[in-house]
């Protein structure tokens, strides 16, 4: 019942992901959520984020920001990052996940998505057929509608972890 919300992998932070290993596995593009995935909600690009995107470029991985935020927010974050972006993405709709792959020149087999929310980020990427990595939110302070979703996410993650601990194949 909940499998459509399950990530392929979970990590404590975006910055813990071994992107070099993903490249070796054949991935050529990474789609990122911004808020609470790369930086705290509404923050500008941190040095850590800037370094990550320089690292991705050196590895040879294309990148694209996919955000439900408005253009001003996304452009402000991307100002010093300089990657592809899609704002007002209407996640979990699959339309802009597919658009991001087209922009990067990748496909669902060579693209991975990194985000912090199950019901928008992960669900949309799963529906688009893209591998997913769920990261823990960077900061606990969030808008009320997200706080409410976090309670529901805990239920889904309980079942995800229970299956994972039984060594059942999730995908």
């Amino acid at each position: 019942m909940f499998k459509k919300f399950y990530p392929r992998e979970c990590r404590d932070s975006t910055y813990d992901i071994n992107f070099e290993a993903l490249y070796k596995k054949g991935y050529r593009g990474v789609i990122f959520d911004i808020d609470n995935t790369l930086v705290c909600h509404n923050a500008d690009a941190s040095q850590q984020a800037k370094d990550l995107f320089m690292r991705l470029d050196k590895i040879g991985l294309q990148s694209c920001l996919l955000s439900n935020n408005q253009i001003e927010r996304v452009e402000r974050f991307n100002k010093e990052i300089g990657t592809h972006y899609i704002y007002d993405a209407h996640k979990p709709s699959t339309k802009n996940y597919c658009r991001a792959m087209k922009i990067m020149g990748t496909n669902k087999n060579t693209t991975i998505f990194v985000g912090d929310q199950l019901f928008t980020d992960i669900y949309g990427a799963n529906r688009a057929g893209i591998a997913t990595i769920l990261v823990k939110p960077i900061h606990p302070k969030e808008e009320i509608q997200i706080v409410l979703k976090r309670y529901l996410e805990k239920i889904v993650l309980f079942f995800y972890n229970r299956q994972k601990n039984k060594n059942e194949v999730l995908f």
Side-chain angles (χ1 to χ4, degrees), residues 73-126:
R73 162 66 181 130
V74 178
E75 285 184 341
R76 182 169 45 88
F77 174 82
N78 194 45
K79 182 179 176 183
E80 294 187 61
I81 299 294
T83 193
H84 305 290
Y85 64 89
I86 299 170
Y87 63 91
D88 196 22
H90 299 283
K91 293 180 290 183
S93 170
T94 60
K95 176 183 173 186
N96 285 310
Y97 291 88
C98 296
R99 184 172 159 215
M101 287 186 285
K102 186 174 182 177
I103 289 169
M104 294 187 300
T106 61
N107 61 52
K108 64 183 180 180
N109 298 313
T110 60
T111 305
I112 196 154
F113 181 89
V114 179
D116 70 298
Q117 292 188 54
L118 287 179
F119 301 126
T120 52
D121 298 332
I122 302 302
Y123 179 52
N126 283 344

Side-chain angles (χ1 to χ4, degrees), residues 15 34-35 38-50 72-81 138:
Y15 303 101
I34 299 173
D35 287 332
L38 292 166
V39 292
C40 293
H41 181 75
N42 208 32
D44 291 342
S46 63
Q47 188 60 51
Q48 190 176 31
K50 295 173 200 175
E72 297 82 12
R73 162 66 181 130
V74 178
E75 285 184 341
R76 182 169 45 88
F77 174 82
N78 194 45
K79 182 179 176 183
E80 294 187 61
I81 299 294
I138 290 174

Side-chain angles (χ1 to χ4, degrees), residues 36 116-120 137 139-157:
N36 258 344
D116 70 298
Q117 292 188 54
L118 287 179
F119 301 126
T120 52
H139 195 275
K141 185 177 184 243
E142 298 181 295
E143 297 170 348
I144 188 66
Q145 70 272 16
I146 296 173
V147 171
L148 296 173
K149 284 193 270 183
R150 295 287 185 206
Y151 287 110
L152 297 173
E153 285 181 355
K154 287 180 183 181
I155 296 167
V156 174
L157 290 172

Side-chain angles (χ1 to χ4, degrees), residues 3 5-14 16-23 25 27 37 111-118 121-123 125-126 130-136 157 160-161 164 170-171:
K3 285 187 179 182
F5 300 108
Y6 289 176
R8 177 81 48 92
E9 295 180 33
C10 291
R11 293 285 180 266
D12 286 338
S13 167
T14 299
D16 292 342
I17 298 170
N18 185 338
F19 290 100
E20 292 82 0
L22 291 174
Y23 185 86
K25 288 182 180 181
Y27 292 102
T37 298
T111 305
I112 196 154
F113 181 89
V114 179
D116 70 298
Q117 292 188 54
L118 287 179
D121 298 332
I122 302 302
Y123 179 52
N126 283 344
I130 301 169
T132 54
I133 299 176
L134 177 69
V135 295
K136 291 181 181 174
L157 290 172
Y160 168 81
N161 287 319
K164 188 175 164 190
L170 296 176
F171 293 93

